[in-house]
Amino acid sequence: MSLTLRTISREQHLAYIQSLPSASHMQVPAWADVKAEWRSENLGWFDDRTGELVGVGLVLYRQLPKIKRYLAYLPEGPVINWFAPNLQEWIEPMLAHLKQQGAFSVKMGPPVIIRRWEAATIKKGIQDPDVKRLRDLEADFIEPRAFEVADKLRRMGWQQGEDGGAGFGDVQPRYVFQVPLANRSLEEVHKNFNQLWRRNIKKAEKAGVEVVQGGYEDLPEWQRLYEITAVRDHFRPRPLSYFQRMWTALNNEDPNRMRLYFARHNGVNLSAATMLIVGGHVWYSYGASDNIGREVRPSNAMQWRMLRDAYALGATVYDLRGISDSLDETDHLFGLIQFKVGTGGQAAEYLGEWDFPLNKLLHKALDIYMSRR
């Protein structure tokens, strides 16, 4: 297939995404409005024979201080046929186009999964003192074509992001935790939860925890819980305006793109979460909880409700997003994987993020600048 790449309208981009079973929420046109500090462009690949649109990419451009040169970033994209035998015929026109646009470096995150580990495998790994990381464990599923993709990218001159992107240092997590929903009943999903999760869900029900959906007007209450979480977990919170922009941008594009949930007890909100929906893929994207009321297990109740709602929407996967690949109980991120493994899903490893330096000097300068931040 010979291909032509050109700038397309947001409408064309969205129509293409809507024709797919799913795509990353960071590749929908509205994500450009969420990332308002970046310039953006919608790219389309066309089949020369039919004139049909066969792939899209949302590119975010970040300008270097003082000069008109840009880092071009395609988060969890582009949305193309990654297993195409002629992959370079998809990628090379994109590099040429981005160079013309003033890009000195390109960063992308192929949405390709290499390996998956079942919850039971991970649990065994946690109990084994010789196992320190997910990659020390034999995977339950391997996608051989993913290794071919990595090989082709290396041959084209792409460089894999630092450390293979094990932790949260990258812009996007390389390891995520997902609960598959396709061809499974809700009873099966619930049965697959570990004992602690099932007990906690029951405990929350008995205590009268209720889970409700919120709207735009409830975002300040979300922010209150999120800032409490940020202090407790030592991270820098995003401002309320970011979530307001996210809500407006995503739900203007599709009224069911972003949801907000609260778990409350005796009228007090104890935990909250945002949920994103693109086709059959549903993400739990941000979570927050108060320091009080933990004994009534609001977070377990909220996840169970969100999972049921995802199922009712016909989702094929409920995605709990990033985890670290460390299985070491002394690691500060260990609690996160432990919490998510309880859902009985699978850890999945993506190909990670890849860089192509169009201008080696500026690319190096950016690397140095980023490492000092």
Side-chain angles (χ1 to χ4, degrees), residues 20-308:
L20 303 174
S22 76
S24 168
H25 61 276
M26 295 183 192
Q27 282 294 307
V28 301
W31 194 253
D33 303 327
V34 179
K35 297 293 170 188
E37 68 280 16
W38 299 66
R39 181 165 73 85
S40 68
E41 185 183 16
N42 306 83
L43 294 182
W45 281 259
F46 292 85
D47 180 340
D48 288 341
R49 279 181 324 216
T50 61
E52 189 191 352
L53 183 62
V54 288
V56 297
L58 174 68
V59 188
L60 302 173
Y61 293 98
R62 171 62 70 88
Q63 190 174 344
L64 272 183
K66 300 190 179 67
I67 56 170
K68 275 220 150 76
R69 300 302 293 278
Y70 303 87
L71 165 67
Y73 180 37
L74 295 97
E76 297 184 4
V79 185
I80 60 173
N81 177 8
W82 283 95
F83 300 130
N86 62 336
L87 187 61
Q88 62 280 11
E89 288 173 39
W90 292 77
I91 301 294
E92 277 161 10
M94 178 183 87
L95 287 175
H97 175 86
L98 297 175
K99 192 172 188 172
Q100 243 178 339
Q101 296 291 311
F104 66 88
S105 186
V106 182
K107 184 186 273 296
M108 65 178 182
V112 175
I113 287 175
I114 318 181
R115 301 180 184 87
R116 292 183 187 275
W117 296 265
E118 298 289 349
T121 304
I122 299 168
K123 273 180 213 157
K124 274 190 207 132
I126 290 170
Q127 282 149 14
D128 183 340
D130 295 334
V131 172
K132 293 282 178 261
R133 302 199 161 274
L134 269 176
R135 58 180 85 165
D136 298 339
L137 282 174
E138 192 180 334
D140 293 291
F141 164 84
I142 287 181
E143 172 56 88
R145 295 178 303 172
F147 295 96
E148 279 180 51
V149 174
D151 203 42
K152 284 176 184 169
L153 291 175
R154 276 192 202 97
R155 285 208 300 268
M156 281 183 240
W158 288 82
Q159 301 163 1
Q160 196 162 20
E162 282 310 298
D163 86 340
F168 289 80
D170 329 283
V171 189
Q172 298 314 324
R174 173 147 182 193
Y175 293 90
V176 299
F177 205 86
Q178 300 176 336
V179 180
L181 300 177
N183 309 316
R184 296 174 75 198
S185 68
L186 265 180
E187 290 69 43
E188 281 174 71
V189 173
H190 185 265
K191 228 194 270 163
N192 236 16
F193 282 176
N194 71 10
Q195 231 176 334
L196 185 64
W197 262 84
R198 291 202 301 270
R199 213 168 43 230
N200 286 345
I201 289 166
K202 211 176 234 158
K203 199 182 251 186
E205 268 170 31
K206 261 204 179 120
V209 171
E210 51 166 352
V211 180
V212 297
Q213 262 184 262
Y216 179 87
E217 67 287 354
D218 300 302
L219 286 169
E221 174 62 359
W222 146 264
Q223 191 71 16
R224 178 185 75 82
L225 291 167
Y226 173 62
E227 286 179 11
I228 290 171
T229 309
V231 171
R232 184 177 66 238
D233 294 348
H234 313 291
F235 65 84
R236 202 169 80 213
R238 291 187 180 278
L240 172 61
S241 58
Y242 179 81
F243 295 102
Q244 289 172 328
R245 191 164 70 230
M246 197 170 168
W247 182 277
T248 307
L250 295 177
N251 288 335
N252 277 349
E253 180 174 273
D254 178 331
N256 202 21
R257 185 76 83 220
M258 178 175 176
R259 292 184 177 187
L260 178 62
Y261 286 84
F262 291 98
R264 57 172 65 144
H265 186 239
N266 296 336
V268 179
N269 292 316
L270 297 176
S271 62
T274 61
M275 182 160 119
L276 299 176
I277 301 149
V278 184
H281 202 127
V282 171
W283 293 264
Y284 152 58
S285 71
Y286 283 89
S289 60
D290 206 330
N291 298 326
I292 57 164
R294 301 187 136 212
E295 67 288 348
V296 294
R297 305 298 175 199
S299 294
N300 298 89
M302 183 173 66
Q303 288 295 343
W304 177 226
R305 162 73 192 272
M306 287 166 72
L307 215 151
R308 293 199 317 268

